[in-house]
Amino acid sequence: MTENESTERSALLTLDGLRKAYPGVVANDDVSFTVWPGEVHALLGENGAGKSTLVKMIYGLVKPDRGIMVLEGKAFTPANPAAARSAGVAMVFQHFSLFDALNVAENIALGMDNPPAQRELATRISEVSEAYGLPLDPARIVGDLSAGERQRVEIIRCLLQDPRLLIMDEPTSVLTPQEVEILFHTLRKLTAEGTAILYISHKLEEIRALCEDATILRLGKVVDTCDPREKSARELAEMMVGESLHIPTREEFKPGQVVLAIEGLSLPSPSSFGTALRDISLKLSAGEVLGIGGVAGNGQDEFLSALSGEVLALPGVITLNGKDVGLLGPNPRRALGLLAAPEERLGHAAAPDMSLLENALLTGAVRENLTSRGFLKWGRVKDFTEKIIDEFDVRTPGPENAARSLSGGNLQKFVIGREILQRPDVLVVNQPTWGVDASAAAAIRQALLDLAAGGAAVIVISQDLDELLEISDRFTALNEGRLAKPRPAQGLSVEEIGLMMGGAHDMHEAEVNT
Amino acid sequence: MDLSSINPILLIASLMVAATPILLAAIGEMVVEKAGVLNLGVEGMMITGAVVGFAIGVNTGSPALGFIAAALGGAAVSMLFGVLTQYLLSNQVATGLGLTLFGLGLSALIGKPYEGMKSPVLQKLDIPVLSDLPVVGPILFGHDPVVYLSLILVVLVWYGLKFSRAGLILRAVGENHEAAHALGYKVIRVRLMAIAFGGACAGLGGAYISLVRVPQWVEGLTAGAGWIALAIVVFASWRPWRVLLGAYLFGGVSVLQLNLQAAGLAIPVEYLSMSPYVITIVVLVFISARGQHGAPGSLGRSFHASG
């Protein structure tokens, strides 16, 4: 694909000298590159490198201050997304642009310029979703879908428009390996038809598997281009960061005593589209990292809620350090040492419009003594917040800033750091590195490993299998609300993992340790 | 006490008249809130419509022109709210309350010369045969055109929100304005149109009080009808048919309690007077307790395009 392209083919999209500055920050400066028809072009860079601003310019959401874009030989200056769409540019957003109260078909209709009648659209949705292996019921309300399913809505919305350039911002972050394979199959089919794909991802192995060309951005500037198939993931990461990369290290795991025991946890589904938990049993020892994989929507959120205390279990079902906590709510469980960091950063793990100080106070009040007799100790809150910001390298102008103003990766570091610094006995995290760049993800994983090395037990729920295999001592998977029997992560083959995730249930009670 | 003095047919016919102003204001406000805007100025827009409609009606002798002027007047004051909240990003709650106070003052000023005058009469529909039918005649075919207009509006709003592209975009804007903006929809333009529609409906509702129900001008004529309309929208869970039910329930109990007062029921007048408010709210609370349809996601939040 890369040979003779300038002579034989005409470029699909050429960017030349694009610049966009916001007050106080230059998001993009002199960005130039070319996308050819039928190629998958990766856009690499850390959080804040200017990838989002760049694709927003191509999608007509932001106007460049300077520079030109040429699409298929014609000057391309989309005034708005509708103009970009009619020129053949479609985009899958990182933060889903979906409407919770509307159903799937309505959401998809909103992303099209001339949608067919609802019934016809529903048929087309079913066709496309089956053709590309992304099952989706057009009549379901989007608010009830899992993150993975919500992303399917976005992808199908784009595919229905037969785009010539498809921009994908972190498309696989919530998909299982099998789903990623299917998506890649879809994307390869699209490129064979001549569609070009501009692909943003932090998963470098994926980029190596999929992309033929890569442009690397650092601090708004193009610093390098390469063929990712010829580089290792580590080399790519170092090109992004501009320095050598820290790989998480771990010490040998020696099982300690059991800190958390779950005995036959069953819970009905919280909403009509949620997942019921079925007879989950588990024993977790001090110093252990347990990785839980599984396809989105198989009970991950429900399991986290049951452990954090948002949903109460029956007495005797959950035992923490020998104490029955099944009927205790989140704060008593926190007091006893069971902490949780849920998946949804904005709205679940953090209150978007409140400052970092207030967000630190919200979960840290119990264990960090941030209140006394009903009054807040702002001095201590400030110390605690600044400690999180320091130790976890949260990049923000100051602790008074609203949680909403942080980028996804920075907020994730804050949320995880906030729990780790409370010295939990058991920490449960869901999707700890979703949408987080390589170096921040490595820092978060290292922090989780350090926590375990310090004697805490850690449960990591994730859909990133590489991540789970990298940090887990034992691995298990959730399937339709059932937990497979945990197995040692070391030496586990991909086939075995696939079977666990696909629901080859081992209904025997989970063993203590292995 | 003489309950036989209450004629159920006339009761139903007059409850439709009593409910129409609230129905008009409520269906307009529902559209505004579906677009994600909370306009607490319904009372102010209603009374502006009431005085403008009355003044134009008296001066031209045509109630129809009065209604048209009232709709335009209501839309005009709603645009004050629109510019303040959508372009200047002022707080919607405070601005809406201000709009109510502004409307009350403005209407008193405009209405001073018209106090004590009588409005021209809006002709009722008189269809030969049909209007003379027993029972159904007075209920279905004996009203003035605005009563029918209000019912047609309910149907149009229901159909438009549910089945039209414009309705889908309006709901999308109200549900998640950032996502709507990301997809390229003009959030502020959609909201301004919804606000103008709400203002026009409130103006019509107000004019119905001054031109048909009362029919004359006195200061503070609307007497809280705009607030009831706001409450009905919330308790009806933002659904057109429930808005209709709520408005008619309120109108019905209002008319019934007046009849009961006249019939000399041995319940203190105060209880009878509060009964429409209490009963309407209790019934709608029970209805909205079932089902989980909540407020539009972006209701009351200011939108400012960024990035």
Side-chain angles (χ1 to χ4, degrees):
Chain A
M1 281 251 173
T2 47
E3 292 84 20
N4 302 329
E5 53 203 2
S6 51
T7 50
E8 286 181 14
R9 294 183 303 156
S10 55
L12 179 70
L13 175 72
T14 309
L15 308 182
D16 190 12
L18 282 189
R19 178 187 163 92
K20 177 71 194 176
Y22 292 111
V25 57
V26 179
N28 282 135
D29 194 9
D30 195 22
V31 174
S32 309
F33 63 87
T34 299
V35 181
W36 301 96
E39 76 165 352
V40 185
H41 191 113
L43 203 51
L44 288 174
E46 285 195 284
N47 290 335
K51 303 178 306 260
S52 292
T53 306
L54 184 62
V55 293
K56 277 183 182 168
M57 287 195 276
I58 301 172
Y59 194 57
L61 278 167
V62 174
K63 277 199 181 52
D65 298 337
R66 205 188 300 153
I68 46 173
M69 295 186 276
V70 178
L71 183 72
E72 294 185 315
K74 281 180 268 191
F76 178 57
T77 50
N80 54 45
R85 283 198 295 266
S86 62
V89 177
M91 176 159 169
V92 176
F93 289 89
Q94 178 182 14
H95 298 292
F96 306 141
S97 58
L98 295 178
F99 305 92
D100 284 355
L102 309 183
N103 68 29
V104 169
E106 287 173 329
N107 267 282
I108 287 174
L110 280 164
M112 302 173 73
D113 292 316
N114 289 305
Q118 286 283 315
R119 200 169 304 156
E120 194 187 325
L121 182 63
T123 326
R124 280 190 60 194
I125 292 168
S126 302
E127 282 167 15
V128 171
S129 68
E130 264 167 47
Y132 291 116
L134 304 165
L136 203 58
D137 175 0
R140 277 180 65 181
I141 300 292
V142 164
D144 295 320
L145 300 182
S146 71
E149 290 167 314
R150 292 162 72 98
Q151 188 151 43
R152 286 180 206 158
V153 181
E154 290 257 358
I155 292 173
I156 289 172
R157 177 152 80 185
C158 289
L159 295 183
L160 277 174
Q161 302 175 62
D162 300 323
R164 270 167 292 170
L165 175 65
L166 180 61
I167 303 169
M168 305 197 95
D169 195 352
E170 293 284 338
T172 58
S173 46
V174 290
L175 304 184
T176 60
Q178 287 86 346
E179 287 175 311
V180 169
E181 264 317 306
I182 293 163
L183 175 69
F184 282 8
H185 186 72
T186 308
L187 296 183
R188 290 194 182 107
K189 206 162 141 190
L190 280 170
T191 53
E193 291 161 10
T195 308
I197 293 161
L198 190 57
Y199 192 88
I200 301 178
S201 175
H202 291 307
K203 295 189 181 170
L204 301 170
E205 289 298 344
E206 267 175 19
I207 285 176
R208 292 187 58 238
L210 185 71
C211 302
E212 292 136 25
D213 209 348
T215 299
I216 293 141
L217 289 178
R218 198 189 308 148
L219 300 174
K221 292 192 174 120
V222 175
V223 291
D224 216 339
T225 54
C226 67
D227 183 343
R229 291 169 298 188
E230 293 164 2
K231 301 274 179 193
S232 73
R234 186 172 182 145
E235 283 172 315
L236 289 174
E238 287 174 356
M239 284 162 92
M240 279 161 55
V241 188
E243 57 193 49
S244 60
L245 190 73
H246 172 79
I247 301 288
T249 53
R250 58 193 308 187
E251 287 164 29
E252 185 98 0
F253 162 59
K254 296 178 215 70
Q257 69 188 100
V258 172
V259 285
L260 181 75
I262 304 172
E263 276 286 329
L265 170 67
S266 294
L267 281 176
S269 163
S271 82
S272 48
F273 296 118
T275 308
L277 297 178
R278 294 163 220 259
D279 195 26
I280 291 178
S281 295
L282 183 69
K283 285 202 171 79
L284 200 63
S285 0
E288 176 182 25
V289 180
L290 175 71
I292 301 184
V295 185
N298 269 298
Q300 286 92 337
D301 292 343
E302 290 81 0
F303 187 54
L304 182 120
S305 304
L307 287 178
S308 71
E310 287 167 67
V311 179
L312 299 184
L314 294 172
V317 170
I318 304 175
T319 318
L320 178 70
N321 287 328
K323 260 204 195 84
D324 176 14
V325 299
L327 283 178
L328 299 179
N331 273 329
R333 289 195 197 185
R334 284 180 178 283
L336 292 170
L338 173 54
L339 272 56
E343 167 184 6
E344 182 85 33
R345 287 189 280 259
L346 286 173
H348 197 177
D353 291 315
M354 295 178 92
S355 69
L356 295 182
L357 286 172
E358 289 162 320
N359 272 297
L361 173 73
L362 283 173
T363 76
V366 181
R367 287 179 78 80
E368 294 294 309
N369 271 325
L370 303 179
T371 60
S372 91
R373 296 193 202 95
F375 289 93
L376 309 177
K377 298 194 216 162
W378 282 116
R380 291 192 59 128
V381 174
K382 191 151 192 273
D383 294 343
F384 178 53
T385 312
E386 279 170 353
K387 196 168 149 204
I388 302 171
I389 292 174
D390 278 358
E391 291 197 13
F392 286 84
D393 187 28
V394 180
R395 287 173 208 168
T396 168
E400 292 83 12
N401 279 56
R404 186 189 286 289
S405 69
L406 268 64
S407 72
N410 272 316
L411 185 58
Q412 188 66 35
K413 286 194 271 187
F414 178 81
V415 166
I416 300 280
R418 179 180 67 180
E419 306 305 328
I420 288 179
L421 286 182
Q422 294 178 44
R423 305 167 315 276
D425 292 332
V426 178
L427 178 64
V428 189
V429 293
N430 192 1
Q431 301 278 26
T433 59
W434 180 21
V436 173
D437 66 53
S439 61
I444 289 174
R445 286 176 201 146
Q446 184 66 57
L448 292 172
L449 287 175
D450 292 346
L451 180 70
V458 181
I459 298 181
V460 181
I461 305 171
S462 176
Q463 289 174 36
D464 184 343
L465 276 187
D466 297 329
E467 166 173 279
L468 290 179
L469 292 178
E470 182 179 315
I471 65 174
S472 313
D473 299 305
R474 284 191 300 160
F475 177 86
T476 177
L478 272 167
N479 180 277
E480 290 175 4
R482 289 191 186 87
L483 196 69
K485 182 177 162 181
R487 306 183 49 177
Q490 212 156 24
L492 212 54
S493 73
V494 176
E495 288 73 29
E496 287 169 308
I497 292 171
L499 283 175
M500 287 167 94
M501 290 173 59
H505 301 295
D506 193 338
M507 296 301 288
H508 300 298
E509 191 192 342
E511 295 300 327
V512 183
N513 268 306
T514 46
Chain B
M1 194 183 81
D2 182 14
L3 284 179
S4 64
S5 65
I6 299 174
N7 178 340
I9 295 165
L10 285 181
L11 185 79
I12 293 177
S14 56
L15 88 79
M16 292 175 73
V17 172
T20 296
I22 295 165
L23 177 61
L24 281 165
I27 201 75
E29 176 67 10
M30 196 199 84
V31 171
V32 177
E33 293 191 13
K34 272 286 187 187
V37 179
L38 181 64
N39 185 353
L40 294 183
V42 182
E43 179 81 3
M45 301 187 296
M46 274 186 98
I47 202 155
T48 306
V51 75
V52 170
F54 189 80
I56 300 294
V58 165
N59 284 329
T60 62
S62 156
L65 284 178
F67 275 107
I68 292 170
L72 293 176
V77 288
S78 77
M79 280 300 96
L80 273 179
F81 173 86
V83 169
L84 283 170
T85 57
Q86 302 305 305
Y87 288 115
L88 305 176
L89 304 180
S90 69
N91 178 291
Q92 293 181 4
V93 171
T95 311
L97 291 173
L99 183 64
T100 287
L101 297 175
F102 172 73
L104 289 170
L106 180 73
S107 64
L109 180 71
I110 299 175
K112 207 74 194 161
Y114 296 95
E115 279 180 5
M117 289 189 183
K118 227 183 130 27
S119 79
V121 177
L122 183 63
Q123 283 302 322
K124 291 192 172 167
L125 212 61
D126 189 14
I127 308 166
V129 188
L130 283 180
S131 300
D132 300 328
L133 288 175
V135 187
V136 286
I139 294 177
L140 289 182
F141 303 107
H143 292 291
D144 55 71
V146 180
V147 171
Y148 299 110
L149 174 70
S150 68
L151 293 170
I152 291 169
L153 269 178
V154 173
V155 176
L156 287 181
V157 165
W158 166 75
Y159 187 85
L161 283 178
K162 194 162 172 149
F163 296 109
S164 79
R165 174 111 179 124
L168 178 60
I169 292 171
L170 183 124
R171 281 187 289 145
V173 164
E175 179 58 31
N176 183 346
H177 51 214
E178 269 132 21
H181 173 70
L183 290 174
Y185 295 109
K186 304 273 183 235
V187 173
I188 289 174
R189 192 183 298 168
V190 169
R191 287 190 168 166
L192 282 176
M193 290 195 293
I195 292 168
F197 176 78
C201 286
L204 280 178
Y208 195 78
I209 300 178
S210 65
L211 287 170
V212 180
R213 264 213 86 188
V214 174
Q216 55 178 326
W217 169 255
V218 284
E219 210 179 308
L221 178 75
T222 48
W227 296 111
I228 275 294
L230 271 167
I232 283 175
V233 173
V234 175
F235 289 119
S237 320
W238 293 270
R239 290 179 183 188
W241 298 115
R242 291 188 186 175
V243 167
L244 177 67
L245 172 75
Y248 272 32
L249 189 69
F250 183 81
V253 182
S254 307
V255 171
L256 182 66
Q257 64 95 6
L258 283 176
N259 278 315
L260 289 175
Q261 278 186 35
L265 188 68
I267 294 177
V269 174
E270 291 80 2
Y271 290 110
L272 286 174
S273 307
M274 76 168 82
S275 60
Y277 302 90
V278 174
I279 291 174
T280 306
I281 287 175
V282 166
V283 169
L284 288 172
V285 163
F286 270 104
I287 293 175
S288 60
R290 297 181 299 132
Q292 50 183 353
H293 277 266
S298 293
L299 183 61
R301 281 169 47 210
S302 290
F303 173 72
H304 179 62
S306 65

